[in-house]
């Protein structure tokens, strides 16, 4: 193999790895910022805000009025707190799979970088444990522990206590369970997208690599013909 083709192949390999890492970064960023973020950030319509709707529903049941501004602030603080923690997932996901790319060495002319669903199982299992804890911590720290702030001064204490119980039960059971299930679906979809995107990069790499092989053969024929 000529030195020029050898250099071309090494550059092709380096570009291939960079392309896969870029796909991994973009995939992870979209997963956290857009997919998971859409489940946590403030929805465009109040009617889509399940937590706020639950607060208002409970208040209506007890025939009391809540401080709307303080309720909005409560939910805003919760969302900011949780998103700041979940943002770390991007870095963890990239670092986990970047190591596979960095260590890749093609053994044959058709060897490519591959991610399979089983590659994500262990990582996602640990991530889900962290997600669950982060959600629980943010719920309790930013909402449950501050519910009293949204009541007017003349609200009966027994009603406050009952609402606290109802909110705690809803957030730490129903809401948390649904949120984790929705996040799980988002992760599954993005994992599948990543697997397919990395496969496409592999196909491009092999195509370019094969062309460099043909180029080398042409050079050999040219030299022999002289």
């Amino acid at each position: 193999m000529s030195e020029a083709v050898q250099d071309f192949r090494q550059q092709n390999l380096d570009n291939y790895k960079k392309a896969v890492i870029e796909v991994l970064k973009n995939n992870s960023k979209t997963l956290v910022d857009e997919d998971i973020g859409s489940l946590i950030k403030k929805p465009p319509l109040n009617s889509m805000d399940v937590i706020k709707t639950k607060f208002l529903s409970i208040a209506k049941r007890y025939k009391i009025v809540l401080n709307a501004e303080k309720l909005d602030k409560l939910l805003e603080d919760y969302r900011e707190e949780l998103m700041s923690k979940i943002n770390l997932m991007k870095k963890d996901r990239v670092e986990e799979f970047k190591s596979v790319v960095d260590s890749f060495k093609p053994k044959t002319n058709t060897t490519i970088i591959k991610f399979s669903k089983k590659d994500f199982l262990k990582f996602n299992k640990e991530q889900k444990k962290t997600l669950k804890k982060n959600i629980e911590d943010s719920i309790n720290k930013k909402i449950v522990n501050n519910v009293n702030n949204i009541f007017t001064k003349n609200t009966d204490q027994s009603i406050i206590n009952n609402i606290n119980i109802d909110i705690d039960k809803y957030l730490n059971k129903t809401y948390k369970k649904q949120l984790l299930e929705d996040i799980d679906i988002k992760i599954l979809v993005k994992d599948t997208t990543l697997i397919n995107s990395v496969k496409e990069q592999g196909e491009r790499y092999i195509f370019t690599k094969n062309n460099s092989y043909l180029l080398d053969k042409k050079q050999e024929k040219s030299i022999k013909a002289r």
Side-chain angles (χ1 to χ4, degrees):
M1 185 186 297
S2 70
E3 186 177 341
V5 174
Q6 208 166 10
D7 290 343
F8 177 80
R9 286 195 172 191
Q10 183 58 52
Q11 186 175 357
N12 183 37
L13 175 60
D14 293 341
N15 290 340
Y16 170 46
K17 287 184 176 183
K18 287 178 184 177
V20 172
I21 290 172
E22 193 62 26
V23 166
L24 172 61
K25 287 180 178 178
N26 290 336
N27 179 276
S28 301
K29 187 177 188 302
T30 304
L31 169 63
V32 175
D33 294 350
E34 297 179 21
D35 297 344
I36 296 177
S38 68
L39 301 172
I40 297 168
K41 294 173 185 176
K42 184 179 179 180
L45 300 174
N46 277 336
S47 59
M48 298 168 65
D49 191 335
V50 293
I51 303 179
K52 187 172 184 177
T53 300
K54 187 65 177 180
F55 265 98
L56 296 177
S57 173
I58 292 174
K60 185 177 180 180
R61 187 183 351 134
Y62 285 97
K63 298 179 181 179
I64 64 165
V65 177
L66 301 177
N67 186 312
E69 288 185 8
K70 288 185 177 181
L71 175 58
D72 287 339
K73 183 65 168 62
L74 198 74
L75 300 183
E76 181 184 342
D77 289 346
Y78 157 69
R79 288 174 170 128
E80 286 182 0
E81 163 93 1
L82 183 53
M83 279 306 301
S84 68
K85 292 179 178 178
I86 289 178
N87 269 327
L88 298 175
M89 184 178 174
K90 278 185 287 191
K91 182 181 176 182
D92 293 340
R93 196 166 184 266
V94 170
E95 287 182 352
E96 175 75 16
F97 297 103
K98 183 177 179 293
S99 61
V100 176
V101 181
D102 290 337
S103 61
F104 172 73
K105 292 180 181 179
K107 295 179 180 179
T108 69
N109 280 336
T110 57
T111 305
I112 60 173
I113 300 166
K114 287 183 179 179
F115 293 150
S116 64
K117 289 185 179 180
K118 67 178 182 180
D119 294 326
F120 295 93
L121 289 177
K122 184 179 178 181
F123 174 75
N124 285 342
K125 186 176 181 181
E126 292 304 314
Q127 285 292 303
K128 287 168 190 175
K129 285 181 183 177
T130 303
L131 274 169
K132 184 179 179 181
K133 185 177 186 308
N134 286 339
I135 292 169
E136 288 172 350
D137 290 346
S138 297
I139 284 173
N140 292 317
K141 179 181 176 183
K142 293 298 181 178
I143 302 181
V144 175
N145 293 346
N146 295 292
V147 171
N148 289 352
N149 296 335
I150 65 173
F151 297 110
T152 56
K153 292 181 180 179
N154 60 347
T155 306
D156 186 273
Q157 187 59 47
S158 63
I159 292 177
I160 292 175
N161 293 341
N162 287 335
I163 291 177
N164 273 320
I165 292 170
D166 289 347
I167 288 297
D168 189 348
K169 182 179 178 182
Y170 168 72
L171 291 175
N172 279 299
K173 290 187 178 180
T174 307
Y175 168 76
K176 183 181 71 179
K177 180 176 180 291
Q178 186 61 57
L179 180 57
L180 285 168
E181 287 176 354
D182 290 342
I183 290 175
D184 195 31
I185 293 171
K186 298 289 188 184
I187 291 173
L188 180 61
V189 171
K190 269 296 174 289
D191 287 350
T192 303
T193 302
L194 181 58
I195 290 169
N196 293 333
S197 298
V198 169
K199 184 181 177 183
E200 287 176 9
Q201 291 296 330
E203 290 169 352
R204 292 176 190 173
Y205 164 66
I206 293 298
F207 176 80
T208 309
K209 188 176 183 180
N210 287 340
N211 281 347
S212 73
Y213 174 76
L214 293 174
L215 175 64
D216 190 46
K217 286 296 181 182
K218 287 179 181 178
Q219 285 182 341
E220 285 181 7
K221 288 180 180 180
S222 177
I223 291 170
K224 288 177 182 179
R226 290 174 187 173

